[in-house]
Amino acid sequence: VGLCIGTRPDCVGDDILDFLAKQAKDFLIWLEYGLQSAHDRTLRRIRRGHTVAELLATLERTRQRHLPVCVHVILGVPGEDRADMLATARFLAALDIQAVKIHLLYVVRGTPLEELYRAGTYRCLERDEYAAIAAEFLALLPPHLVIQRLTGDPHREALVAPAWALDTTRNLQAIHDYMIRHALKQGSAFVPPLREAAAPQA
């Protein structure tokens, strides 16, 4: 029926996009690009291996072929504060994309992030913090954008922290409750862009 391909923006060449565009004549095809943050300094810190500019270039080539795009972002990445995360929302709001997946950063066993967490140099977001940022993030996005994900789904055996990440129902309810209390809805703070998106200043 269809295919969603999740990949990095620096791993998709024109040959692949041409092939997928042909398939899209008969099947539903989505490209999902992992951006995670609109800040190059963050991408360097988490060793993504690509830049925001590479995402923009790949997005342009993808949309030239009329393939729908979903961009993944992560809230709670080391070194980012609330303002940084909301800047990523404003960046996404100016892009020609069709969907967003918002993930919670959680600590998984056997990762460099676990080392930072154990050393006390990384603090996970609390549920209320995440709910507030996610709600305000949604308010900044265009109302027509499809929201495919609002949190994370860690494996219980692999999760180190935060424990609340396992309770998806309560996490979604916390976002909903914050939006109700603050009279927010998706797009309520959206400002249509005057020009093409540019990455926030590093």
Side-chain angles (χ1 to χ4, degrees), residues 85-132:
M85 291 179 258
L86 296 183
T88 291
R90 293 185 184 92
F91 173 75
L92 295 179
L95 298 180
D96 178 16
I97 59 175
Q98 288 62 57
V100 170
K101 285 186 177 178
I102 304 172
H103 299 263
L104 159 72
L105 184 66
Y106 49 81
V107 183
V108 173
R109 299 188 193 284
T111 62
L113 185 60
E114 182 186 13
E115 296 175 12
L116 295 178
Y117 177 75
R118 300 289 188 195
T121 56
Y122 173 71
R123 182 186 72 84
C124 299
L125 293 175
E126 299 292 341
R127 191 201 315 268
D128 289 347
E129 288 180 288
Y130 183 80

Side-chain angles (χ1 to χ4, degrees), residues 123-195:
R123 182 186 72 84
C124 299
L125 293 175
E126 299 292 341
R127 191 201 315 268
D128 289 347
E129 288 180 288
Y130 183 80
I133 295 169
E136 292 174 14
F137 199 102
L138 288 173
L140 290 166
L141 297 179
H144 67 269
L145 204 62
V146 177
I147 308 301
Q148 295 187 0
R149 179 181 290 271
L150 274 175
T151 183
D153 293 307
H155 294 286
R156 185 177 300 273
E157 300 77 15
L159 181 68
V160 175
W164 61 262
L166 294 168
D167 195 344
T168 301
T169 300
R170 283 189 65 190
N171 300 340
L172 295 177
Q173 188 64 48
I175 297 170
H176 177 268
D177 291 347
Y178 184 94
M179 297 185 83
I180 294 297
R181 287 196 308 272
H182 295 270
L184 296 176
K185 62 181 180 180
Q186 181 182 338
S188 60
F190 169 64
V191 177
L194 298 177
R195 59 183 184 277

